[in-house]
Amino acid sequence: TFSLSPPPPANALVKGNAPPTKTKGGEKLKCTNVEECQEMAYKREAELREQESQGPPPLVTPGGTRYRDVESGDETKGVVKDGDEVVLFYKVLKLGKRSYDGISGEGTVVFSRGYGFEDDEKAPGSKSFITTVGAFQNILALNDALPGMNVGGVRRFAITPQKGWEKPSRACDGGPGGRGAGGDLRTDYVVVPTATMVATEACFDNTKLPFPTSYAQERRMAQRFDQSLIMEVQVVNIQKERTLLGL
């Protein structure tokens, strides 16, 4: 024989019953006023910054561009050198809110090639960007970051306005790392919080590559070129290696 045990007491919220106790696992810290909320936000931001600082620091090219290799690629298939003609896939990204080093984190794609994100790409890999390493028309950050990459490798690097799509004039040089007059205080920079805003249309250099292939991408880029950006590039192939005269 066996006996049925009585059911546990109900915790219904009725008159005379105390509400059930909350478990600690589901509790979230709450603030009761603006100052307390701001203090909690600053504390959380400091904790995230500390977590990121524990990781390996970004590497720096001889030209001063900060980068991190996401995938090493295959050295036996080729190593990029200055003067090589290369086939690339790339993404130009807006910095994520937590990207304190200017490279980490996931940001919004401003424009891309080769990943199937754009309207003129039928599928990933259907389009690519072909350029010569060190070419004058390339943005400086790209020329800095490509040498030393292996075929199949993926590298993420920082683009300051001066090494990107900002025209090289004193009047325009007011963004992160800039020395120009600039304009009003810009609050959404991450790498240099006190950077200043520049005149967008006059300073946006549309001759530098890579460049958006549609009007919508170009308008997005026109709103971001004077900010620090991230570029993630994959070397698909070395189409033509540089040859040295006399060898």
Side-chain angles (χ1 to χ4, degrees):
T1 62
F2 64 91
S3 60
L4 294 174
S5 58
N11 288 321
L13 292 177
V14 296
K15 188 174 181 179
N17 283 0
T21 56
K22 294 181 179 179
T23 58
K24 291 185 178 180
E27 287 186 16
K28 291 184 179 180
L29 295 176
K30 294 183 179 180
C31 48
T32 57
N33 55 60
V34 174
E35 290 77 13
E36 190 176 328
C37 291
Q38 288 178 337
E39 181 63 28
M40 289 173 60
Y42 294 148
K43 184 177 180 181
R44 177 59 178 160
E45 191 168 322
E47 290 173 353
L48 291 171
R49 188 189 295 263
E50 179 65 23
Q51 289 174 8
E52 287 196 359
S53 67
Q54 301 303 316
L59 301 173
V60 182
T61 68
T65 298
R66 290 173 297 111
Y67 74 94
R68 180 171 287 122
D69 284 325
V70 180
E71 296 180 20
S72 59
D74 189 347
E75 184 179 357
T76 64
K77 293 182 178 179
V79 180
V80 176
K81 303 181 299 297
D82 194 44
D84 287 348
E85 187 175 272
V86 292
V87 182
L88 308 174
F89 295 158
Y90 68 82
K91 292 182 284 189
V92 175
L93 306 163
K94 171 189 171 184
L95 267 66
K97 291 183 179 180
R98 303 300 180 187
S99 184
Y100 297 109
D101 61 0
I103 301 175
S104 62
E106 287 300 323
T108 305
V109 175
V110 183
F111 71 100
S112 64
R113 209 66 176 154
Y115 291 93
F117 297 151
E118 309 301 342
D119 293 339
D120 63 341
E121 295 179 315
K122 295 180 179 179
S126 61
K127 299 280 186 178
S128 61
F129 173 61
I130 301 175
T131 191
T132 300
V133 182
F136 176 76
Q137 66 266 29
N138 292 340
I139 60 171
L140 290 175
L142 182 64
N143 284 335
D144 274 354
L146 285 173
M149 289 188 67
N150 300 326
V151 171
V154 177
R155 178 168 291 179
R156 176 177 280 212
F157 55 93
I159 307 175
T160 58
Q162 297 76 27
K163 290 189 175 183
W165 294 266
E166 184 179 88
K167 291 182 179 179
S169 69
R170 183 172 178 81
C172 294
D173 196 8
R179 298 174 297 278
D184 297 330
L185 185 68
R186 190 77 174 239
T187 59
D188 59 350
Y189 286 119
V190 176
V191 176
V192 184
T194 56
T196 52
M197 183 168 59
V198 296
T200 54
E201 298 299 328
C203 297
F204 188 23
D205 192 347
N206 58 11
T207 67
K208 289 297 182 181
L209 297 177
F211 196 76
T213 57
S214 73
Y215 178 78
Q217 296 170 27
E218 185 173 344
R219 297 318 303 161
R220 289 199 300 268
M221 189 60 190
Q223 298 171 356
R224 297 293 178 189
F225 80 94
D226 60 340
Q227 301 178 16
S228 290
L229 299 168
I230 300 170
M231 190 168 184
E232 191 170 287
V233 63
Q234 177 182 353
V235 177
V236 180
N237 192 21
I238 300 175
Q239 193 157 280
K240 188 185 299 182
E241 292 191 8
R242 177 190 61 178
T243 55
L244 300 177
L245 295 177
L247 296 180

